[in-house]
Amino acid sequence: MSASRNLPLYLKLAAPIVVLAALFAVFVQAVWGPQLLATQRALLLEREHDVIRNVAPTLQIDLLAFDFAAIFETLRRVEGINADERMTVELFNATGRRLYPLAGPSSALESDERIELRQPIEHEGKPLGELVLRMDITDKLADIEAQIQALGNLVLAAGAVVLVLAIASYYWLIGRPLTTLAGVAARLGEGDFAVEIPQAAVKGSGVLGEAVVRLRESLSQTRAERDAHSAQLAASLVRYRTLQDSMPGALLVLDRSGRIEEYSGAAEDVFGYRREDMVGQRCDRLFPDVDCQRNLALAFEQAGEATRDSAHEGRHADGHRVPLRVFHRTMRIGDEIRMVVVAMDISRIQAAERKLLAAKEEAERANQAKTVFLSRMSHELRTPMNAILGFGQILQMDPVMAEDERKESLDEILRAGEHLLNLINEILDLSRIEVGKLSVRREAVSLDDCVQRAVAQTRPLAQTLGVRVEVAGFEARPVLYADRTRLMQILLNLLTNAAKYNRRDGWIRIAVSRLSAPDRWQVDIADSGVGIAESDLARVFDPFERVSAHEHVIEGAGIGLALTRKLVEAMGGEMGVDSRLGEGSRFWFALPVGEVDEAGGAVADRPAA
């Protein structure tokens, strides 16, 4: 069987022809030859029968005439003609007496191929005698058999020549193309899809060759698609591994039994174990929680789309515990449910939180200390300052101090004292706001009245600086829900700043508008002053910041705007600024709308919401 597998394809395909040729040879030798020999023997017998049948009429006439000389002559002529066939002829009369030859046969024929033919001679139904012909056809049959054998050999030789020519033609026309295609098929089976297929082989094999060509093209295309798909899969795997390893947390994929199927490179940093050591291990090696298995089973029972997170402790390879924030989610991967776990090491975050908390506590202590210090210092400064102002006012009542030089000095003392007292009051208010001790009594306040009063108090300063104050007419009587005293403080601070930081022949415009969402009244105080640079807008409301101090020497400590904004926010409002350097500024604040009575006046108070 193994030897037949090693035979060339064309020999395998030619085997049926060879078998048919062998069967033909057997047929010639075993069937055709003997049948031909039997046919020749029958023909020989038939010819001898013809001989005695032809002689019988002559002998009939001679027997009727008792012409024995003619009978003898005829029979000797028959024997003479067939002398080479070892023939003997005998003639008997009706009674069985031999008439020829008179002395009996010269010799008996002893042979396997001896034949005996008898021909009765009759006349009008009466027997006249019997002619007996005996002959040995051994030599004759041997000659015929030799001729048949020679003819058989010739037929076999011709058949062999035809077989060789047929096999050669078969190989050239069919076997060779098939052998070539078999080689091509073997190369295709080895993965060589670029193998060349000779055109002669394609033409010689017909449909089969065309099918092989199409097969090669199909396999080549499939190979190209597979290679492209493999390249995409490889690139996707590389991206997946890169993303997996670049994640800040350890990525694990667990089966239902808690065995680890995926273990990212980041997990090596978190837990200290190598990937090849952990794949196939149980997750409780990483999570020493005694309820790990129970929690895992519960998570699989509650499988869903939601991602859950919890705090756990992990075990590092060196034995120390690692604080973790664990995010887990069950997902269907193929036909199986798997759990995807991301464990993030939060030890640095916890350390940073502890540092931040310590810094916050330290800052709160420092701020409290600062607030207490400012409050105490303000009170300590306020007492002597009140004494200075009191003695200054007493001196102002003295006629002796009414002289010009003394009066100017005394007025400067009182003005400086009042400025310092206002500064101390602002510092106290700011410190109270920061510690949450500033009392604010909110009620319905007429914004129109407060604006008119603030403008009246600020107008002398504005006139001194050459600035005009303009108030836009109000369409309705706006009522705010605010603290009247703090509202006046806000308006006075903003109007005073607008006047101080303005230019001569400048202007201040006050406008009021109502906002719908939320329901508030907004007050805009615009000026034509020096403006504020865009880079300074972010710190204009910071305490002790004076963004224009480098251009204008104006008294102040940079507390007013910070205090103003905090007062607005304390009353549930908001405040902002729009400004361009050299074009002026617009400060605005918005406070909740207050209630109005039927007569259009402000309601005294508003219930807490």
Side-chain angles (χ1 to χ4, degrees):
M1 181 66 74
S2 59
S4 63
R5 292 178 181 175
N6 297 327
L7 290 176
L9 177 62
Y10 68 90
L11 289 181
K12 294 179 181 179
L13 296 175
I17 299 176
V18 175
V19 171
L20 289 176
L23 292 176
F24 176 73
V26 172
F27 172 76
V28 170
Q29 293 292 334
V31 179
W32 181 76
Q35 286 186 351
L36 184 58
L37 181 60
T39 302
Q40 291 298 321
R41 187 176 185 281
L43 291 175
L44 180 60
L45 293 177
E46 184 64 27
R47 190 188 64 181
E48 298 303 329
H49 269 295
D50 290 340
V51 171
I52 61 176
R53 279 197 296 269
N54 292 333
V55 174
T58 303
L59 295 177
Q60 180 186 20
I61 296 171
D62 292 338
L63 286 175
L64 290 175
F66 297 100
D67 188 354
F68 293 103
I71 292 173
F72 281 24
E73 181 64 26
T74 298
L75 294 178
R76 278 198 296 271
R77 190 169 57 250
V78 170
E79 286 179 342
I81 293 172
N82 297 284
D84 57 339
E85 296 179 356
R86 299 171 60 189
M87 177 189 293
T88 61
V89 180
E90 293 181 317
L91 180 60
F92 297 92
N93 60 11
T95 60
R97 185 171 63 87
R98 180 186 295 111
L99 300 178
Y100 180 86
L102 297 177
S106 58
S107 61
L109 296 176
E110 298 294 338
S111 173
D112 294 335
E113 293 297 337
R114 181 177 62 84
I115 63 174
E116 181 180 287
L117 301 178
R118 293 180 178 271
Q119 179 63 39
I121 301 173
E122 297 177 345
H123 177 68
E124 297 180 354
K126 295 180 179 181
L128 300 177
E130 184 180 27
L131 179 63
V132 179
L133 186 145
R134 296 184 181 89
M135 60 182 304
D136 186 359
I137 59 173
T138 301
D139 296 337
K140 192 68 174 179
L141 291 178
D143 293 340
I144 293 174
E145 187 176 2
Q147 293 176 3
I148 292 174
Q149 185 66 36
L151 181 60
N153 292 337
L154 181 62
V155 170
L156 290 177
V161 172
V162 171
L163 178 63
V164 171
L165 293 176
I167 292 176
S169 300
Y170 169 79
Y171 170 74
W172 184 261
L173 297 177
I174 300 177
R176 186 178 180 184
L178 290 179
T179 303
T180 303
L181 292 181
V184 170
R187 296 279 295 277
L188 292 176
E190 295 171 357
D192 183 9
F193 301 138
V195 58
E196 291 293 333
I197 303 177
Q199 196 64 28
V202 176
K203 292 181 179 179
S205 55
V207 177
L208 179 60
E210 295 174 357
V212 172
V213 171
R214 289 195 298 270
L215 176 63
R216 183 195 62 179
E217 295 174 353
S218 177
L219 290 175
S220 180
Q221 182 179 358
T222 303
R223 174 71 170 273
E225 293 174 355
R226 187 196 67 183
D227 292 344
H229 187 59
S230 298
Q232 292 178 357
L233 290 178
S236 298
L237 182 60
V238 170
R239 287 195 298 270
Y240 168 73
R241 289 296 185 189
T242 303
L243 291 174
Q244 186 188 79
D245 295 340
S246 62
M247 288 181 61
L251 176 64
L252 308 173
V253 177
L254 310 177
D255 63 8
R256 286 185 176 273
S257 64
R259 297 193 180 278
I260 301 172
E261 294 184 352
E262 287 288 340
Y263 186 86
S264 68
E268 298 182 358
D269 299 331
V270 174
F271 296 104
Y273 294 100
R274 295 183 304 171
R275 186 196 307 258
E276 52 270 22
D277 295 334
M278 291 307 300
V279 173
Q281 299 295 322
R282 298 181 67 86
C283 64
D284 51 10
R285 185 173 177 182
L286 302 177
F287 301 98
D289 187 352
V290 293
D291 294 330
C292 179
Q293 291 298 324
R294 185 176 63 84
N295 293 336
L296 182 66
L298 181 62
F300 270 102
E301 291 177 1
Q302 298 174 350
E305 297 297 329
T307 299
R308 296 179 173 84
D309 65 297
S310 56
H312 289 274
E313 278 192 344
R315 181 190 291 119
H316 196 271
D318 59 10
H320 78 272
R321 298 296 179 93
V322 182
L324 300 173
R325 193 70 185 176
V326 178
F327 301 85
H328 61 87
R329 178 180 181 180
T330 54
M331 300 179 64
R332 180 172 295 277
I333 302 177
D335 297 331
E336 299 292 335
I337 299 295
R338 294 292 183 267
M339 178 174 290
V340 179
V341 179
V342 177
M344 300 183 65
D345 183 356
I346 58 174
S347 56
R348 294 183 180 179
I349 297 177
Q350 290 182 346
E353 288 177 348
R354 288 193 293 270
K355 290 182 181 179
L356 183 61
L357 181 61
K360 179 176 178 291
E361 293 173 351
E362 182 65 24
E364 289 176 349
R365 286 194 296 270
N367 187 55
Q368 184 70 20
K370 178 201 73 171
T371 302
V372 172
F373 171 76
L374 289 176
S375 178
R376 289 179 180 176
M377 287 300 298
S378 298
H379 283 289
E380 294 296 329
L381 291 174
R382 198 172 183 181
T383 300
M385 186 56 61
N386 286 328
I388 292 172
L389 290 175
F391 282 114
Q393 292 171 355
I394 294 174
L395 290 174
Q396 197 176 31
M397 297 169 60
D398 189 349
V400 178
M401 301 299 296
E403 299 178 1
D404 293 340
E405 293 182 358
R406 293 179 179 179
K407 185 176 183 304
E408 290 180 1
S409 299
L410 185 58
D411 290 341
E412 184 65 27
I413 291 173
L414 291 175
R415 186 165 52 250
E418 289 175 354
H419 173 68
L420 288 175
L421 185 60
N422 289 332
L423 179 61
I424 291 170
N425 289 333
E426 288 180 347
I427 293 175
L428 284 173
D429 287 341
L430 187 62
S431 63
R432 288 192 190 104
I433 291 174
E434 288 182 348
V435 297
K437 294 183 178 180
L438 181 69
S439 61
V440 175
R441 185 177 181 276
R442 300 171 68 184
E443 59 183 352
V445 179
S446 174
L447 178 60
D448 188 7
D449 294 341
C450 291
V451 169
Q452 296 300 334
R453 290 177 57 193
V455 169
Q457 294 181 36
T458 311
R459 197 180 297 279
L461 175 62
Q463 290 176 347
T464 302
L465 297 174
V467 178
R468 68 182 183 275
V469 180
E470 302 173 357
V471 180
F474 300 159
E475 297 180 359
R477 290 182 57 82
V479 176
L480 299 180
Y481 184 60
D483 186 309
R484 184 184 301 273
T485 302
R486 299 303 180 185
L487 178 59
M488 285 296 299
Q489 187 176 355
I490 292 168
L491 290 170
L492 288 173
N493 279 344
L494 293 177
L495 289 173
T496 301
N497 282 348
K500 290 192 298 183
Y501 291 97
N502 216 313
R503 57 171 63 98
R504 184 161 291 278
D505 297 328
W507 48 263
I508 300 173
R509 294 193 181 106
I510 304 173
V512 177
S513 59
R514 187 161 183 171
L515 305 178
S516 58
D519 195 7
R520 293 181 177 183
W521 284 104
Q522 178 171 307
V523 180
D524 295 326
I525 300 178
D527 63 65
S528 60
V530 296
I532 304 171
E534 186 177 356
S535 59
D536 294 332
L537 288 176
R539 54 192 183 92
V540 72
F541 293 108
D542 293 342
F544 306 104
E545 287 285 348
R546 302 188 65 213
V547 296
S548 299
H550 62 288
E551 296 180 0
H552 299 274
V553 181
I554 299 173
E555 62 181 12
I559 301 176
L561 287 177
L563 177 61
T564 300
R565 188 175 193 178
K566 289 185 178 295
L567 289 174
V568 171
E569 293 174 349
M571 291 187 290
E574 57 182 346
M575 182 177 177
V577 60
D578 300 317
S579 181
R580 293 181 119 187
L581 189 63
E583 297 182 8
S585 304
R586 182 180 72 90
F587 284 86
W588 59 268
F589 66 91
L591 290 173
V593 174
E595 296 182 359
V596 181
D597 58 16
E598 295 180 357
V603 177
D605 200 357
R606 174 180 177 180

